[in-house]
Amino acid sequence: MVSRKTTHASVSPKGSLETLSQREVQQLRETGSGSVYALFRQCALAILNTGSHSDNAKTILEAYPDFEIRIHQQDRGIRLELLNAPADAFVDGEMIASTREMLFSALRDIVYTESELAHQRVDFSSSQGITDYVFHLLRNARTLRPGVEPKMVVCWGGHSIGHEEYKYTKTVGHELGLRGLDICTGCGPGVMKGPMKGATIAHAKQRNVGGRYLGLTEPGIIAAEAPNPIVNELVILPDIEKRLEAFVRVGHGIIIFPGGAGTAEELLYLLGILMHPDNRDLPFPLILTGPRSASAYLQQLHDFIGATLGSDAQQRYQIILHDPAQVAREMAQGIKAVTQFRRERNDAFHFNWLLKIDEQFQHPFEPTHDNMANLKLTREQPVHELAAHLRRAFSGIVSGNVKDQGIRRIEQHGPYRLAGDKAIMQPLDRLLQAFVEQHRMKLPGNTAYVPCYQLVD
Amino acid sequence: MVSRKTTHASVSPKGSLETLSQREVQQLRETGSGSVYALFRQCALAILNTGSHSDNAKTILEAYPDFEIRIHQQDRGIRLELLNAPADAFVDGEMIASTREMLFSALRDIVYTESELAHQRVDFSSSQGITDYVFHLLRNARTLRPGVEPKMVVCWGGHSIGHEEYKYTKTVGHELGLRGLDICTGCGPGVMKGPMKGATIAHAKQRNVGGRYLGLTEPGIIAAEAPNPIVNELVILPDIEKRLEAFVRVGHGIIIFPGGAGTAEELLYLLGILMHPDNRDLPFPLILTGPRSASAYLQQLHDFIGATLGSDAQQRYQIILHDPAQVAREMAQGIKAVTQFRRERNDAFHFNWLLKIDEQFQHPFEPTHDNMANLKLTREQPVHELAAHLRRAFSGIVSGNVKDQGIRRIEQHGPYRLAGDKAIMQPLDRLLQAFVEQHRMKLPGNTAYVPCYQLVD
Amino acid sequence: MVSRKTTHASVSPKGSLETLSQREVQQLRETGSGSVYALFRQCALAILNTGSHSDNAKTILEAYPDFEIRIHQQDRGIRLELLNAPADAFVDGEMIASTREMLFSALRDIVYTESELAHQRVDFSSSQGITDYVFHLLRNARTLRPGVEPKMVVCWGGHSIGHEEYKYTKTVGHELGLRGLDICTGCGPGVMKGPMKGATIAHAKQRNVGGRYLGLTEPGIIAAEAPNPIVNELVILPDIEKRLEAFVRVGHGIIIFPGGAGTAEELLYLLGILMHPDNRDLPFPLILTGPRSASAYLQQLHDFIGATLGSDAQQRYQIILHDPAQVAREMAQGIKAVTQFRRERNDAFHFNWLLKIDEQFQHPFEPTHDNMANLKLTREQPVHELAAHLRRAFSGIVSGNVKDQGIRRIEQHGPYRLAGDKAIMQPLDRLLQAFVEQHRMKLPGNTAYVPCYQLVD
Amino acid sequence: MVSRKTTHASVSPKGSLETLSQREVQQLRETGSGSVYALFRQCALAILNTGSHSDNAKTILEAYPDFEIRIHQQDRGIRLELLNAPADAFVDGEMIASTREMLFSALRDIVYTESELAHQRVDFSSSQGITDYVFHLLRNARTLRPGVEPKMVVCWGGHSIGHEEYKYTKTVGHELGLRGLDICTGCGPGVMKGPMKGATIAHAKQRNVGGRYLGLTEPGIIAAEAPNPIVNELVILPDIEKRLEAFVRVGHGIIIFPGGAGTAEELLYLLGILMHPDNRDLPFPLILTGPRSASAYLQQLHDFIGATLGSDAQQRYQIILHDPAQVAREMAQGIKAVTQFRRERNDAFHFNWLLKIDEQFQHPFEPTHDNMANLKLTREQPVHELAAHLRRAFSGIVSGNVKDQGIRRIEQHGPYRLAGDKAIMQPLDRLLQAFVEQHRMKLPGNTAYVPCYQLVD
């Protein structure tokens, strides 16, 4: 292992952590020693590595085994002391401003979540309670800005894509930025960075100084997908379900770029919600796009949706091949409809209260072999429920491919067994095969892909 | 009764009430119908009368018997509907911006207090808990601004003073403003308005656009002392003890102008705190001042403090007679010492955490005849405890003079009997006599003053 | 003579004088020694007395006989050294920000004018040339702000009016400010201050931080009418004709309050312009107003206009008696029409290019006895030309009443002789008589008024 | 020739052209038809191609033969009508904000220069007059900002460099930006773009929203080196001598990256100025740097300076090889010394008045064969004069290599003949040989380089 340059430093907060009561400072200090310490340390290390080229969480964490972070109480507030921190986060001994900001964003969100849980202020048993929780966390992060016209575009897709696809995401971001739109992503590399980079240049060209680059992440993934340095607002949601809900409630439209099983999961999540009868009349611009070389990929995805969820589901999105300006024009147009709709309904611009999210999309799915086997992959149910089951299937595959616990499960019990109607299983099989062939099944190493699933008719 | 011009209107919030969760909107709606409605209606009416010349709460309330305020839920947030509201609060049908701001400040603070109480989030049993509560309420009102150099001067004194004294407070405010200092008062007329008015002109002269005119009030007094129109930040504390604590924790220095028993009570409150051994080394600029005509008054007050609390207490303040520029210079100088002190101790600029406030100053005193008779007005106790007892004596006198319940108590049981050491009772007698002679004992009507107390050796 | 407190000081410029070329610094230094020095010294002294209560130029100038102002060159720019300056302009040794601003405004305008004249850049021989000059001087003072919606209301009237009339101008200013309108006056006391004061409070109430209080003055009058401290933009025009043109080109509407012969002159100037056939369709809101007590005054003025210029002239203004809110509403309404008109014609909001000003209103009138005797006060001419002659008559009377040279002329040659049609001379006689009776003929001393004119049929 | 997409459009100005007098509008209209039209059209076309990848002026100009630009007068100001303009400058029919800004910057500077010349306001006969002219042009472009701490770093070097060198300039720009420094270049591609790009990202990371990217260009070169899209302030100086003076007077330090004969010319220009005895004590940070691969290049340049101008000249710069952070640290350090120096001397931060520029560096050099042959390349003169002659030699070589007129001269008369001391001619020969070998002699085509000069002992 290469030894890295490290440094010691002491930083004071900016933003909402500047004015704390003594009670709150006390809580924070506990963060510095108690059970959440590991969580915070891990997020902090990821943030201090912002812009580093490694996307391997383990590598980063192992590279700084001596890294420590201490929270000091002082009458005036708090101060963080960093020991053996990555030297790249500093310029001539001073921490880079954005890094400092993100560091305290992480602390803010972790402490908020802990505090809400400790005081049992969240009602996790109801859909409304979970939505309120997501809202409060985002508001506490000062992400919700009243009165601002809708212009937040969420970009989803793979974090590890080819150069041509990456370049394409930059060009799309550039066209979005030229039209005054902001970008929200999962805040890591690849599709999470490209559109922000393009929009940055475009906002500069349009002399638009308030451009927002919102990154929504989770503690479990931040180390692998360290926030790219363009992110100027960082929010850490506690898990993937809250994070997905945050995306669809703060975004005014979504663009899906090429990706792997994870991206398919996201698309199914969103379609599952949009197919809910309550959301029938709700405008929600959704565009699938990619460069010319992604043509086959987009067709397969489209066919799969048609074969499983039907043509109604296909009506909820547009596919635009290799035309960044057209993507941006359609998105701008779609967001105008959203603005009009919210204005008529007197709904907030900053949070999509009217979107109905079924509780089954709000609670986490645990991909055990039993749960996977019991997924109901049949036509005998409302389409939005089928979408929910399909999403879980992909969620499980992602886990079996790359997540620690999932891999162990596969090692112990063999591949997952997914059963269902032929009319669903066959398209699923074709899609997964295509992912394998196109090397979109991300693997920890570089070995040939051995499927973690088995389709059963 | 003269019938007043009224109007109907509908207004949307600005500030922290713009982004609400559905749960919070629900709570607000309950405010519109439940037990706190009367409280909110009363505050709203006072605010809509901002700048009116009547300081009689009853008059205002009775002048608009049909006034109603309804809170409507809409997806996007809330909306207030006002029926039969005072027409003067509107210009061509649109509510004046500052009035709208204050209206939502009142709603914000009342709802915050109700919500904290409902969720039992405040620990009223400990001094620390009460202080934290005051801090949280002020922070929720966005009054605490981190990183701003100390410059908030609290001005205390009578709300009903003569023209010359009023003019003097304006001149002092002008001199404070010329030196870049901000003003905090109880937000009504008289001494609460003069310094703000003078500072406004001075800030304009110095091209200082961010001047703060902070008004701290309570629901019980806002109707009688409607916020003057210069106030640009309004906070409603739940009772006099929280309000006094707010004053001494956000103010960086205090100026006391002439007033009556209430002003004496405030001086004793502050000296009681400053005489606490823990505060011995804490810098806290305190200036007693007035125009030449107030010379005798200031001397009497000074003599009384000397005779009762001793020369140590006299060291904690300066008396400056008829020299506004000198008052401002001394205050600016004193605040520099405060800044230096907090910097050294790393204490916040925006909240005086280091000031020790004994619990006996945080809990309300109920002026029953028994409680008054039991006050310990003797030398056989630490000076700061004597100050606490003396403060309560004046608090009782204020109540017996003008407060509804106090007046009834006197009618039933005769004057309060205050007993103690001759060395304390005699100066007290002299001071009270002087107040009577100088017409500083504020009376509901205009009859000759009949003392509500009796001094017993 | 009372000796005043004075001080020495050294100040650096803000605004357009911060970046000077060496050539320009050289020019400025010449200002410090050459022929314009007396002019600059006089303006500077007036500004340093801002807010003083004396309106007697001579008093001010004589009170500080030792006052000197030196312009120092330094590589970085210039620095002013003030010797024996009025101490009131300083707070603890530092010059008040607005005073410093105005001081450099005066220097800026005087130097600009000198430089334009020296380089013969102004074409004083053509109407267009004079207008361009006024424009360039205002632009150099950064008074012209592109893209801002019309909202500048000019207020004219006496600088020495009674308390009730003064109070009325404040209330009107307050109502204007509540409607977001800005104020422009001659920048001295009386009507020049009241509306600004009222608007300041109203702008604060409406949380309008960018309120403009524009003062237009001339070197000859600034000492007698020292800028009031509310003025936040000061421009010094070289003479009364340029100043009047500046008023009507930057103002979007004009309100005329009670005044004396000078105010009558202003009204005739404006009506003379508005009656020009080229301006027939040009909207220009003009309101004559005053408190109830000014009723007779307003009626006389109105009658006089009717009798001399006819009912067409009366159509160009409204008279509103004692109704500040109505004045403001009508002005706001009138300015809307102006906005609409300029938008349609693509004319600038910040300068009224389309207003035709005849050359005879741009060149100064010298009130010699011959010139006065030759005024053509007859009906046999276009109405706007009659207005021009009447204006000159009043201009001469003002001069004969109060101006140094005019008084001397009267002493030498006796009263001016004004001749003309009976139909014009009789109403003129009645109006002048009324001014005398109402004490609106301002006199240097307090002796009974001896007319400086004689009307001849 | 490929036909390009074009569009018609009409745009209104922003900035200093928003408030024009009628006289000025008239002047502008003349620009639209008179002799300067070709100049403006050429600049406009270059700007509308901002960000295009071609650096061939001729290509761009020929690609849009139908492009026309018309200046329309309207009462409110001016409007530009563009016919057959490059479509890439527009987004959905609206011109990109930065392009619009630059378009009016070009118009502003061209009109200013024309107007100054027309009114004979510039004294081109004196060194002081030329400096004043450069100052006035920059001030008119609002480039000079008083009171801002020195932080403008000029970056010089080739506009057509290899990928590794380009990447290195980005990294250096990033390190400069991290330290809060701004960038000024010739505003084209290559070294003129890289540092701006790096600084943009760094300023974003440091949450520095006011980063300046100043581009100084000339009409003759703007088409070949179209402003890169990051430039947010564009100034067009009339010729290379004024442009070079602008660089050294607004820059607080200069970094020289690898380049060809042009870069050598710039270095000699700067050293010639710095070697002037009057500038001996003037701090002026100057750094030569490049990536590891440029090591030989830097050594040759250094040796050449040593051999010709001597070791004193070598003391005026540092060479830093492949260490971007060190470059930035040294520059920041050097600028601190500049700040200190100007503060002590009271010199402006925004314009280096104290730098002595000899007149021979202010007047253009015409590279005829006679002038070249007469250059005094000998040791018998002060070093700064030798530098001036050497600069002219390189200037001639650049001309003979690539400029239209220079190439024609060589075709007619054969290579320039340069004569001088052996001690100067030999190092010169070695340096030129090295440029040829490293392909730094930029050629119009790609043929083998045939020297346009001949060295004679």
Side-chain angles (χ1 to χ4, degrees), chain B residues 255-292:
Chain B
I255 295 172
I256 299 186
F257 292 98
T263 302
E265 181 193 351
E266 287 167 339
L267 175 59
L268 287 161
Y269 170 86
L270 184 52
L271 287 178
I273 289 170
L274 295 179
M275 297 300 286
H276 192 286
D278 290 8
N279 296 326
R280 183 186 308 267
D281 300 326
L282 192 99
F284 202 114
L286 173 57
I287 296 170
L288 276 60
T289 190
R292 218 161 277 117

Side-chain angles (χ1 to χ4, degrees), chain C residues 62-130:
Chain C
E62 285 176 356
Y64 300 95
D66 299 336
F67 173 66
E68 268 183 67
I69 188 158
R70 292 183 189 154
I71 301 178
H72 292 285
Q73 180 177 359
Q74 48 190 31
D75 289 328
R76 208 171 161 178
I78 57 158
R79 191 169 45 80
L80 296 186
E81 194 186 353
L82 307 168
L83 301 177
N84 306 304
D88 280 356
F90 299 83
V91 175
D92 300 347
E94 212 170 321
M95 189 179 284
I96 293 172
S98 53
T99 305
R100 182 175 156 212
E101 238 178 69
M102 292 197 215
L103 196 60
F104 285 100
S105 294
L107 184 56
R108 174 199 67 207
D109 294 339
I110 289 171
V111 166
Y112 183 81
T113 294
E114 288 307 309
S115 160
E116 291 295 288
L117 296 180
H119 292 80
Q120 302 185 307
R121 272 200 285 255
V122 189
D123 171 15
F124 283 116
S125 69
S126 77
S127 177
Q128 179 63 49
I130 294 171

Side-chain angles (χ1 to χ4, degrees), chain B residues 428-448:
Chain B
L428 181 58
D429 194 25
R430 279 196 299 275
L431 185 67
L432 289 168
Q433 283 302 332
F435 282 0
V436 172
E437 283 153 20
Q438 294 168 20
H439 306 288
R440 295 190 186 276
M441 285 298 201
K442 167 86 182 143
L443 298 176
N446 281 313
T447 49

Side-chain angles (χ1 to χ4, degrees), chain C residues 248-267:
Chain C
V248 299
R249 296 222 187 259
V250 303
H252 301 109
I254 294 188
I255 296 172
I256 299 185
F257 291 98
T263 303
E265 181 193 351
E266 288 166 339
L267 175 58

